[in-house]
Amino acid sequence: MEWNQETLQRLAQCFLDTLSLDQESRQAAEKLLSDGANQPNYSLAVLRIVAEPSVNEQIRHVASVNFKNHLRSRWLPPSDHSCMISPMEDSEKEQIKTLIVSLMLSCSSPCIQNQLSEALIIIGKHDFPNSWPSLLPQLVVSLGKAASVNDYVSINGILGIANSIFKKFRYQYLTNDLFLELEDCVGKFASPLQVLFLKTAELIDAEGSNEMILKPLFESQKLCCRIFFSLSFQDLPEVFEKDISGWMKKFQKYLSSSYYSALESTEDGLRLVDDLRAAVCEIINLFMEKYEEEFGDFRDGFASAIWKLLRDVSKSLRRDKLATKAIKFLTIISKSVHHTFFASHNLIKEICHNIVIPNVYLRDEDEELFDINYIEFIRRDMEGSDVDTRRRIACELLKELAVNYKIQVTQVVTMEIQSLLSSFSTNPVLRWKDKDCAIFLVVSLATKKTGGGASMSTDLIDVQLFFEHIISPELQSRDVNSSPMLKAGSLKFLTMFRSHIPKFDGINKLFPELVRFLTAESNVVHSYAAICIEKFLLVKEEGGVVRYGAGDISPFLSQLMKNLFEALKFQDSEENQYLMKCIMRVLGVADISLEVASDCIGSLKSILSEVCKNPKNPVFNHYLFESVAVLVRRACERNVSLVPEFERALLPSLQMILDNDVSEFLPYAFQLLTQLVELSRPLQLSENYMRIFSVLLEPNSWERKGNVPALVPLLKAFLQRVSHEVWMSQVLDIFKNLVSSPSTDEQGFYVLNTVVENIGYSVIEPHMKTIWDVLFRRLERKYTVKFQKSLVISMSLFLVKHGPCLLLKSMNTARENVFTAVLEQIWIPNVKLITGTIEVKLTAVAATRLICESPALLDPSASKLWGKMLDSIITLVSRPELEIVIIDDPEMTDEVFENVEYKAVFVNLYNAGRKEEDPLKETKDPKEFLLASLFKLSSASPGRYGQIIGENVEQANQEALLQLCNAYNCGIA
């Protein structure tokens, strides 16, 4: 883009028009800017506008935002090669790097300066230091000039850039390259940083009463501390270690001094001071963990300073960041060999009373979060995402103290809990937070019992007595909407200590109450009730038997399902993942009657139709489809008369997903369709199904790789139900496309295996030459161990279905004498690598039949190949069971559903899965089959095969074969 006055005016007008209230003008301007962005030097033209003082500041600000976003999208080539965005030319990049630092520092507008700073950080992230060696020297020079005139606007701009580009030293693994980069940065920046830090400290002391002067000074010190932290994170630089006393003296002063009254008297000023103190806390936390020897002389002084600081901070409602960083320092000391700092009983008592209780106690912010954002509240309170919150970090301090001072901590905390409960009893209406605090302490300080699982224990209370006297009254309250936070805390307690509840009490006393709490108006309360029910259904006895089965929940089932679906109608709970997960779990346990099945499928259908319009919550939607899948599986498989009703309910929604191409739901829809096709009873599938089958056979249905694992089982289900001749060519086209790509070749083999297993040889015979040609071309072009193993399994399946002679004939018809080459180079080396119970049996039986039934292998000229194949078979069947057994039906645990999100990869529906079918049901033991076949073969030619075995089978496998013969009482002549 050529720069001239006309360009300036045109671009300036476009930027102004992007702010227009007129949609047409705004869209036209955005289109012109989008087109201009593809021209060379566009970013330089925009940067000229930003730098032009004659242009209106509002336009310059918009241009700076555009410039930053332009760099973000075009500085590097796009990762998606199909993307039409072209990256910047190198010459354009170099000019930007030459101009941007000086322009940012000379800019008088903070808003524009911030945008240019962010743009510089984007460049630095990709180019610094290797492709931008001049940046750091330029920053150092600029920092020196700004410091010489006390220009803290520029100083803080430079420090902000340095802080951003040095952050990578905190998070990356230390490699040689990173160490060299760090060494270079320390060498150039550490000394100027130290000079500036000490100078700024003197200015703060000199200007102790002027708020306007102090604010940029404290901002500068905070940034200096952040840079010090980054440069020290991997290793303590020598330049810092030499004057560690000077640094630590200033750090401790910022934690312990309270003479910043000019700042601390205002909320903004106090935030600035606390941000600096929090940055100091991060540094001393780092030194306690990594540089304890260098930090040793200062540890006790900092511990006292932190202790005194926390006594004040803990009483304040809005100093969260400082409180958590400071408490973490005490926690680190409590875990170290220096924990004797806490040895005084009175100190632990003070910590509990003055630090832990104030930080655990409910605040207005907690109540607000409870009311307006229940999902975030639950994530923090129940799911442990509150790791950096006051409540969690305060309890972690107590937990760590209890490691070395268990008796003292237990005594102190128990007394605090009793005091809180006594306070509550004096005025339950006004003092309800005291009881909440007591419950929170009990739950947060509980530990998992030895042996893992979900069973929790605590030394603070007698769980049974605490439940009966403290928790049970809340759960038996007839008003489910009163004191909702206290109700939620009680439900959380019950969830955490569920294994302590005897089965009789749990099912007869608690389940009706939990079902009732699903009607609570509070989103958190009815969510916690659902979580509690769902977790109760996972409780196991010591022997691993599930405590609550279908019979236990049958009396409550109808009301339970009604309340769960009604709770989904509360405002903001329309896509409540906790309710839907509970629905899924209950349906997976319960005996589902016709009435319950009809009600549930109707409700699920309505929800499915609604979420299809705008998929938002991937976790909720996953549980929704799991709920449908488990209902189909457990209701329809038990009572096939329900299948037509389920088809009428679900097929329109599934068809809508396909018609509207709801990409997030397509893999789910295909898996549910597979279930329905397999369950459908009419000999001839309905038109609805056949219309879907036609779509399934279209090539574009298979273009999205994330859909392929769901499409293959659906195709298999259809092939088992439809006439084969009509669709054969289209099915084989799908096979060719899939098997040609390494990312989908395994799915291609599944399609081929489906054809081989379900279609008669007379139908597939005309296509066998094409099939082998496709596979052999892929072997010649690119093969992997995975591909070879899949080929061995497919050949084995073909052999057990159609016999070794047809296999050999069809392969050699495709390519002359290819069978022997494949046998020697692919089959024999890879059969010993097969895993999976069914796969091992299939390949062992097939290989056994090959050496015992195939004339080609029984010919004396093939003795060497015969022996090598037997050697591989023995290796395969002699492996320890643990190596080959794959669990067919794993228990559905929470891990199955972790990290569910919308993405290109396939998301499996656990409840839609079926056990893999065994094509050799009549053969129970592949070892016995091998020995029986060898015995029959050797009996016909005594001595011959013993000699072949001796010459071609490894000694270890000869011994393994002998052991098998002894174990099965079967000899080989």
Side-chain angles (χ1 to χ4, degrees):
M1 180 176 286
E2 186 178 350
W3 177 255
N4 51 42
Q5 192 63 28
E6 180 186 348
T7 302
L8 184 149
Q9 292 175 352
R10 186 173 71 252
L11 282 177
Q13 187 61 49
C14 281
F15 286 126
L16 183 62
D17 287 345
T18 60
L19 302 175
S20 173
L21 296 177
D22 179 62
Q23 184 178 2
E24 189 173 335
S25 299
R26 190 171 65 252
Q27 289 178 341
E30 290 169 352
K31 176 70 166 59
L32 286 170
L33 291 173
S34 178
D35 292 342
N38 292 316
Q39 298 182 37
N41 297 322
Y42 168 82
S43 58
L44 289 170
V46 176
L47 197 58
R48 290 285 294 271
I49 288 181
V50 175
E52 182 57 55
S54 63
V55 175
N56 177 280
E57 185 174 327
Q58 187 181 36
I59 294 175
R60 292 167 61 211
H61 182 225
V62 175
S64 68
V65 175
N66 179 273
F67 173 76
K68 176 194 69 177
N69 293 333
H70 184 76
L71 262 59
R72 180 175 285 130
S73 62
R74 296 173 186 264
W75 196 262
L76 288 181
S79 56
D80 183 0
H81 298 296
S82 64
C83 182
M84 302 303 292
I85 296 177
S86 55
M88 286 186 202
E89 296 292 334
D90 289 342
S91 58
E92 188 174 350
K93 291 181 179 181
E94 290 305 315
Q95 290 185 68
I96 290 171
K97 287 191 283 191
T98 302
L99 296 170
I100 191 167
V101 175
S102 57
L103 177 57
M104 188 206 78
L105 296 176
S106 64
C107 180
S108 59
S109 167
C111 294
I112 296 174
Q113 191 181 57
N114 287 339
Q115 296 300 322
L116 292 175
S117 177
E118 287 186 38
L120 194 153
I121 290 166
I122 291 168
I123 302 170
K125 180 181 178 182
H126 300 302
D127 285 23
F128 177 80
N130 297 331
S131 299
W132 200 357
S134 63
L135 174 60
L136 202 51
Q138 188 177 2
L139 290 178
V140 171
V141 171
S142 300
L143 185 64
K145 289 179 180 179
S148 67
V149 293
N150 292 343
D151 177 8
Y152 274 86
V153 173
S154 296
I155 286 172
N156 291 341
I158 296 165
L159 292 176
I161 294 167
N163 179 42
S164 296
I165 62 177
F166 293 155
K167 276 182 181 178
K168 68 177 183 178
F169 297 127
R170 303 179 202 168
Y171 309 118
Q172 293 187 19
Y173 182 75
L174 185 61
T175 61
N176 287 335
D177 289 342
L178 189 72
F179 180 78
L180 291 174
E181 289 180 22
L182 175 58
E183 201 172 44
D184 182 57
C185 292
V186 168
K188 291 173 180 174
F189 207 84
S191 291
L193 178 75
Q194 186 167 359
V195 170
L196 176 66
F197 181 76
L198 295 175
K199 177 183 178 180
T200 308
E202 292 176 2
L203 289 174
I204 289 174
D205 291 339
E207 301 289 347
S209 59
N210 191 319
E211 181 182 0
M212 295 309 295
I213 294 177
L214 285 174
K215 278 187 175 181
L217 299 180
F218 269 82
E219 179 67 22
S220 175
Q221 294 300 72
K222 180 195 76 174
L223 289 168
C224 284
C225 287
R226 302 304 294 137
I227 294 169
F228 181 95
F229 179 79
S230 296
L231 296 180
S232 305
F233 190 86
Q234 299 286 356
D235 190 28
L236 182 59
E238 186 178 350
V239 65
F240 291 159
E241 188 176 357
K242 280 182 178 179
D243 193 26
I244 193 69
S245 179
W247 284 98
M248 292 299 164
K249 184 178 178 181
K250 297 299 180 186
F251 291 157
Q252 188 171 334
K253 184 176 181 179
Y254 290 137
L255 291 179
S256 55
S257 297
S258 57
Y259 60 82
Y260 313 119
S261 56
L263 281 179
E264 292 181 283
S265 60
T266 66
E267 189 171 328
D268 263 1
L270 181 61
R271 179 186 57 79
L272 266 175
V273 176
D274 278 359
D275 281 351
L276 171 56
R277 288 169 171 159
V280 169
C281 285
E282 280 212 272
I283 291 171
I284 62 175
N285 290 345
L286 173 69
F287 272 68
M288 263 304 299
E289 290 181 317
K290 295 188 72 171
Y291 313 119
E292 193 174 343
E293 183 178 346
E294 294 82 356
F295 188 62
D297 293 339
F298 314 102
R299 182 184 56 253
D300 290 346
F302 274 107
S304 298
I306 290 286
W307 165 240
K308 292 173 185 176
L309 180 66
L310 276 171
R311 295 175 73 173
D312 179 46
V313 172
S314 296
K315 298 172 185 176
S316 175
L317 297 178
R318 299 189 179 276
R319 305 173 74 180
D320 289 1
K321 185 176 180 182
L322 176 56
T324 56
K325 303 293 184 190
I327 294 172
K328 185 177 179 182
F329 179 74
L330 296 182
T331 306
I332 295 171
I333 292 180
S334 72
K335 290 192 287 187
S336 74
V337 295
H338 308 288
H339 59 76
T340 51
F341 176 82
F342 302 100
S344 167
H345 181 78
N346 286 334
L347 184 56
I348 291 178
K349 185 176 181 180
E350 282 192 57
I351 287 174
C352 188
H353 189 75
N354 294 321
I355 296 178
V356 176
I357 299 299
N359 284 292
V360 165
Y361 208 78
L362 275 176
R363 297 176 297 158
D364 292 342
E365 290 90 336
D366 300 314
E367 293 185 73
E368 185 178 344
L369 188 66
F370 183 93
D371 290 331
I372 67 174
N373 190 344
Y374 77 95
I375 290 180
E376 182 59 27
F377 181 90
I378 294 172
R379 283 175 181 160
R380 292 186 185 183
D381 185 55
M382 182 73 87
E383 297 177 355
S385 69
D386 61 340
V387 65
D388 289 324
T389 64
R390 288 184 181 221
R391 294 190 112 189
R392 177 57 64 88
I393 202 73
C395 287
E396 287 302 313
L397 173 58
L398 275 184
K399 276 188 175 181
E400 293 301 334
L401 285 172
V403 173
N404 293 296
Y405 307 102
K406 185 174 183 178
I407 295 174
Q408 295 96 313
V409 170
T410 301
Q411 289 174 347
V412 168
V413 176
T414 301
M415 288 175 61
E416 289 290 348
I417 290 172
Q418 291 171 351
S419 176
L420 289 164
L421 293 175
S422 296
S423 174
F424 165 78
S425 65
T426 61
N427 193 334
V429 175
L430 294 180
R431 304 298 300 173
W432 65 270
K433 289 186 182 180
D434 290 346
K435 183 173 182 177
D436 174 86
C437 185
I439 295 172
F440 186 87
L441 281 172
V442 171
V443 171
S444 298
L445 297 178
T447 56
K448 283 191 175 182
K449 283 186 177 179
T450 305
S455 188
M456 307 295 291
S457 65
T458 178
D459 295 315
L460 298 175
I461 58 162
D462 182 308
V463 173
Q464 288 281 14
L465 289 176
F466 193 86
F467 175 76
E468 290 174 13
H469 297 293
I470 307 302
I471 301 299
S472 189
E474 297 297 333
L475 300 182
Q476 291 174 358
S477 169
R478 304 325 296 167
D479 184 1
V480 296
N481 295 315
S482 65
S483 302
M485 295 195 81
L486 203 47
K487 297 288 195 299
S490 300
L491 288 166
K492 180 184 176 184
F493 177 95
L494 178 58
T495 303
M496 298 297 288
F497 292 100
R498 59 192 179 274
S499 62
H500 291 259
I501 307 301
K503 180 173 181 177
F504 180 83
D505 290 341
I507 203 65
N508 291 312
K509 295 180 180 179
L510 293 177
F511 257 72
E513 308 299 349
L514 294 175
V515 171
R516 188 168 54 84
F517 271 100
L518 291 170
T519 65
E521 294 173 2
S522 165
N523 300 98
V524 175
V525 172
H526 61 242
S527 297
Y528 275 18
I531 292 170
C532 192
I533 292 169
E534 192 261 332
K535 297 299 182 187
F536 254 82
L537 295 179
L538 292 175
V539 174
K540 292 183 178 179
E541 305 291 3
E542 287 189 7
V545 179
V546 176
R547 182 176 293 180
Y548 302 104
D552 297 312
I553 63 172
S554 291
F556 320 105
L557 182 60
S558 180
Q559 191 64 47
L560 170 58
M561 299 312 298
K562 178 184 176 182
N563 287 3
L564 281 167
F565 283 113
E566 286 296 318
L568 287 166
K569 297 176 183 178
F570 282 115
Q571 185 176 355
D572 296 329
S573 269
E574 296 88 353
E575 295 190 19
N576 186 318
Q577 64 203 51
Y578 308 104
L579 292 170
M580 189 53 70
K581 186 178 183 182
C582 184
I583 290 171
M584 176 204 72
R585 191 75 70 189
V586 172
L587 291 176
V589 171
D591 284 329
I592 304 169
S593 64
L594 289 174
E595 181 184 359
V596 170
S598 297
D599 291 342
C600 288
I601 197 61
S603 298
L604 291 171
K605 168 205 167 184
S606 300
I607 298 168
L608 180 57
S609 299
E610 196 61 34
V611 298
C612 282
K613 298 173 185 176
N614 182 22
K616 291 180 292 186
N617 184 343
V619 178
F620 172 84
N621 293 330
H622 184 81
Y623 289 135
L624 169 61
F625 280 98
E626 286 285 5
S627 297
V628 174
V630 72
L631 184 60
V632 170
R633 176 169 64 85
R634 302 197 78 246
C636 292
E637 289 182 2
R638 182 175 300 177
N639 189 339
V640 294
S641 65
L642 286 169
V643 173
E645 181 182 349
F646 276 44
E647 289 175 334
R648 286 191 297 272
L650 294 175
L651 283 179
S653 295
L654 298 178
Q655 187 68 56
M656 181 175 69
I657 293 171
L658 271 57
D659 293 343
N660 296 332
D661 194 29
V662 185
S663 58
E664 300 91 338
F665 289 171
L666 285 174
Y668 293 133
F670 294 139
Q671 291 175 82
L672 292 181
L673 282 167
T674 300
Q675 278 190 295
L676 293 173
V677 171
E678 290 175 343
L679 288 166
S680 185
R681 284 295 179 262
L683 294 176
Q684 187 68 34
L685 290 174
S686 67
E687 279 188 32
N688 287 333
Y689 282 126
M690 296 310 295
R691 190 161 55 246
I692 293 170
F693 184 46
S694 298
V695 173
L696 175 64
L697 294 176
E698 294 174 3
N700 58 3
S701 297
W702 297 79
E703 289 176 357
R704 290 183 185 144
K705 292 180 180 178
N707 293 341
V708 171
L711 287 170
V712 171
L714 179 57
L715 178 63
K716 179 176 181 177
F718 272 114
L719 290 178
Q720 291 172 332
R721 300 295 305 278
V722 299
S723 175
H724 306 135
E725 294 85 347
V726 181
W727 317 106
M728 195 63 192
S729 295
Q730 291 167 281
V731 172
L732 290 178
D733 285 341
I734 293 169
F735 153 72
K736 291 179 205 173
N737 291 332
L738 293 176
V739 87
S740 298
S741 169
S743 62
T744 57
D745 55 12
E746 201 166 15
Q747 302 297 330
F749 276 110
Y750 289 156
V751 173
L752 176 61
N753 294 345
T754 298
V755 169
V756 169
E757 192 169 359
N758 295 283
I759 300 177
Y761 187 71
S762 61
V763 176
I764 63 174
E765 183 179 15
H767 305 279
M768 286 308 304
K769 184 178 186 303
T770 302
I771 292 171
W772 291 121
D773 278 340
V774 170
L775 295 172
F776 295 152
R777 280 199 301 272
R778 170 63 201 282
L779 274 174
E780 291 166 351
R781 182 169 45 87
K782 184 176 182 180
Y783 67 85
T784 61
V785 172
K786 180 186 73 172
F787 183 89
Q788 293 181 87
K789 287 164 65 177
S790 296
L791 178 59
V792 168
I793 291 171
S794 284
M795 291 188 297
S796 299
L797 183 63
F798 187 102
L799 188 150
V800 299
K801 287 292 180 183
H802 306 299
C805 292
L806 283 180
L807 174 66
L808 188 148
K809 179 182 176 182
S810 67
M811 291 175 70
N812 285 339
T813 301
R815 294 198 183 180
E816 189 174 354
N817 297 324
V818 74
F819 177 80
T820 302
V822 170
L823 182 68
E824 189 169 7
Q825 297 172 30
I826 306 294
W827 204 330
I828 291 173
N830 285 283
V831 71
K832 66 181 75 172
L833 305 177
I834 302 300
T835 57
T837 306
I838 292 175
E839 289 83 356
V840 166
K841 181 166 77 167
L842 171 65
T843 50
V845 169
T848 300
R849 288 189 59 186
L850 187 64
I851 63 173
C852 294
E853 298 178 19
S854 172
L857 268 293
L858 293 173
D859 189 279
S861 63
S863 295
K864 190 173 182 180
L865 283 178
W866 189 97
K868 286 184 176 181
M869 176 61 93
L870 177 61
D871 187 71
S872 289
I873 299 171
I874 296 169
T875 300
L876 177 66
V877 299
S878 300
R879 285 208 314 260
E881 292 296 322
L882 287 177
E883 291 187 25
I884 63 172
V885 172
I886 291 179
I887 298 172
D888 293 319
D889 191 17
E891 180 186 351
M892 180 176 58
T893 62
D894 287 342
E895 285 74 15
V896 175
F897 308 109
E898 283 182 356
N899 302 318
V900 175
E901 55 184 290
Y902 296 139
K903 48 190 176 182
V905 298
F906 169 68
V907 180
N908 182 54
L909 283 178
Y910 172 90
N911 286 298
R914 298 176 65 86
K915 289 186 179 180
E916 190 178 352
E917 293 182 11
D918 184 355
L920 292 169
K921 295 185 181 70
E922 69 283 356
T923 303
K924 301 301 180 185
D925 185 348
K927 298 175 186 177
E928 186 177 9
F929 183 85
L930 170 65
L931 294 174
S933 300
L934 287 176
F935 176 76
K936 182 178 179 182
L937 187 66
S938 63
S939 297
S941 304
R944 176 188 169 193
Y945 292 100
Q947 181 180 351
I948 297 174
I949 292 171
E951 293 173 355
N952 297 283
V953 175
E954 295 288 338
Q955 182 64 39
N957 279 340
Q958 291 183 36
E959 294 173 3
L961 182 60
L962 182 60
Q963 290 176 4
L964 286 175
C965 290
N966 292 333
Y968 286 83
N969 195 27
C970 177
I972 297 175

